[in-house]
Structure formats: structure tokens, C-alpha cells
Amino acid sequence: MDFSDIIRRRRSIRSYRRDIPPPEVLDRIVDIARRSPTAGFSQGTEFLVLDDPAAVATYWDLTTDDGYELPEGVDTPPCLVIVWSDPERYLARYSAEDKIAFGLDNAAAWPVKFWDVDGGMAAMALQFAAINEGLDTWIFGISRGEAEVRAAFGVPDRCHQVGVVGLGYRSDHERPIGSGTTRRRRPLEEQLHRNRWNSPDLSAN
Ligand SMILES: Cc1cc2nc3c(=O)[nH]c(=O)nc-3n(C[C@H](O)[C@H](O)[C@H](O)COP(=O)(O)O)c2cc1C
């Protein structure tokens, strides 16, 4: 698939068939995602792949309220890849001789947490790689239950959840829903600032 086709095809797909992508496809996707840039080549991004229906069910049990009902039009993806960042790998890397002068050997000193930046980039690459393999994707975050998810799947306490990429094949009745359908895309000239910041559009919602 041409890269521009991949970009155009990517949107948040929230309704999936039940068939699970083959493990070798999931391995290839993660292998591409982990080639994203990381600060100092710290490589502190981890990928927890849930492709066992019982594991996926556990994830939803731990992250949704009792009695929660999915919105109409949502059939959750059969496979989830939870992307985690590991700050300790960055702190160890930036304690090395060639990096120590940056003063980033403790987490509080980082104005931008590059471990989360890198995790976000990996999550994006993961989506593009998945689409290139003929899959569809949906990225979302854990808003509750992160500690429980860590405990259930043996994730070290030091890791932060960056986001969850749902993967699978869109169902025949899939239709766009969600924020992307109810809000306008901002015009390019409003977001692109060339040589000088454009006047902010205070009417933007
Ligand atoms: C960090 C992040 C968190 C998101 N969390 C959710 C979420 O909790 N639920 C959801 O349905 N979509 C979630 N989305 C998807 C966005 O709503 C979606 O990307 C946006 O509306 C644009 O639509 P599109 O992805 O179809 O282009 C999230 C996206 C990002 C990048």
C-alpha cells in the first residue's frame, strides 16, 4: 500500500469482526513500531500484545465500570496492543558518560518526558504498520484500571501506559462514529505557522 493510501485509510475504527490477526502479522507490526526513534536510542517502549480472547476480556473488565454498556456501533477489536513507556531506561541512558551533561538523570528534570513522546511515536508507527498489513486500528487510552492491568499481566510498576491500539478487521456494518465525526478538522493555514505564529483563531472549538 502506498504511504498516502495508508494515511487516508487510517481513522478510528470502532467496530470489528471477531477474527484475530495471525501472530506472525502482529509480530511484524510490533517489529516495525519498535524501529521508531527513541531519545538517546533508549528504546524504553514496551508492547503488551493481547490476542487471546480471555486476556482481552480481562483488559476490558479491569478498565470499565461495572455495568458499562458499549456505545451503539462499537464492537471492540479482537486484539489490543498496550504501549508502555519505561522511564528507567531513559534515566539509565542519560546517566551514561555521553549524556550525563544534559542533567537528565532524574525524571523531574525532563521538561518533556521523552519516554512518553517515544511511546506515542511507536503507537503511531504501529497503526501505520497494521494498516499496511490490511488491518484496521483504533487508539485510545486507559482512563482507569492501569494498576490493575499492570498486576494482571505482570507489567512492572515502573512502566506507564502510553496508549492502547486496538487491531483487527473492520466489520461490514462499521460506520464512522466518535469525535472525528462531530468536530471539524482545523484548516491547514490555522495550524501551520511559517516563520511566525499565525493569529490564533479564538472561534475554534
Ligand atoms: C491519545 C488518544 C486517546 C484517544 N482516546 C480515545 C478514547 O478513549 N475513545 C475513543 O473512542 N477514541 C479515542 N481516541 C481516538 C480519537 O477520538 C480520534 O483519533 C479522533 O476523534 C480523530 O478521529 P480519527 O482517528 O478517526 O481520525 C483517542 C486518540 C488518541 C490519539
Side-chain angles (χ1 to χ4, degrees):
M1 212 184 294
D2 184 72
F3 186 65
S4 56
D5 293 334
I6 292 174
I7 297 281
R8 264 193 290 274
R9 188 173 166 83
R10 193 220 61 80
R11 63 179 173 81
S12 296
I13 301 297
R14 295 176 172 88
S15 178
Y16 289 85
R17 303 188 333 228
R18 295 329 309 153
D19 38 331
I20 300 166
E24 62 274 16
V25 170
L26 296 173
D27 287 0
R28 279 201 298 269
I29 291 168
V30 172
D31 190 28
I32 288 177
R34 75 193 184 93
R35 287 161 199 282
S36 303
T38 61
F41 203 31
S42 301
Q43 302 178 74
T45 310
E46 309 285 337
F47 305 87
L48 175 64
V49 176
L50 305 182
D51 60 353
D52 173 347
V56 174
T58 297
Y59 167 84
W60 288 115
D61 281 350
L62 295 173
T63 58
T64 49
D65 293 322
D66 290 345
Y68 173 76
E69 289 196 19
L70 289 171
E72 183 152 345
V74 174
D75 294 308
T76 54
C79 172
L80 302 174
V81 181
I82 309 179
V83 179
W84 303 84
S85 66
D86 181 352
E88 283 188 16
R89 286 198 180 268
Y90 290 77
L91 301 183
R93 175 68 188 98
Y94 279 78
S95 299
E97 201 179 273
D98 61 327
K99 293 286 188 195
I100 192 70
F102 289 101
L104 297 176
D105 53 333
N106 73 89
W110 291 66
V112 174
K113 311 299 183 201
F114 281 171
W115 41 90
D116 291 332
V117 173
D118 294 353
M121 285 196 280
M124 187 76 259
L126 189 91
Q127 292 174 79
F128 290 147
I131 293 162
N132 191 44
E133 292 276 0
L135 302 181
D136 294 299
T137 65
W138 175 21
I139 185 168
F140 51 91
I142 300 181
S143 49
R144 54 155 286 197
E146 180 175 343
E148 290 82 355
V149 168
R150 267 201 222 98
F153 296 104
V155 178
D157 287 347
R158 64 178 187 274
C159 291
H160 296 294
Q161 169 271 145
V162 176
V164 184
V165 180
L167 301 170
Y169 307 95
R170 70 180 75 180
S171 67
D172 291 341
H173 57 266
E174 187 279 331
R175 297 286 176 273
I177 54 173
S179 306
T181 61
T182 57
R183 300 171 70 86
R184 70 176 182 119
R185 185 175 298 283
R186 294 175 62 197
L188 174 66
E189 56 274 18
E190 190 181 297
Q191 285 185 278
L192 191 159
H193 309 273
R194 181 165 285 121
N195 302 318
R196 182 178 170 78
W197 199 267
N198 300 328
S199 303
D201 176 5
L202 298 177
S203 67
N205 52 19

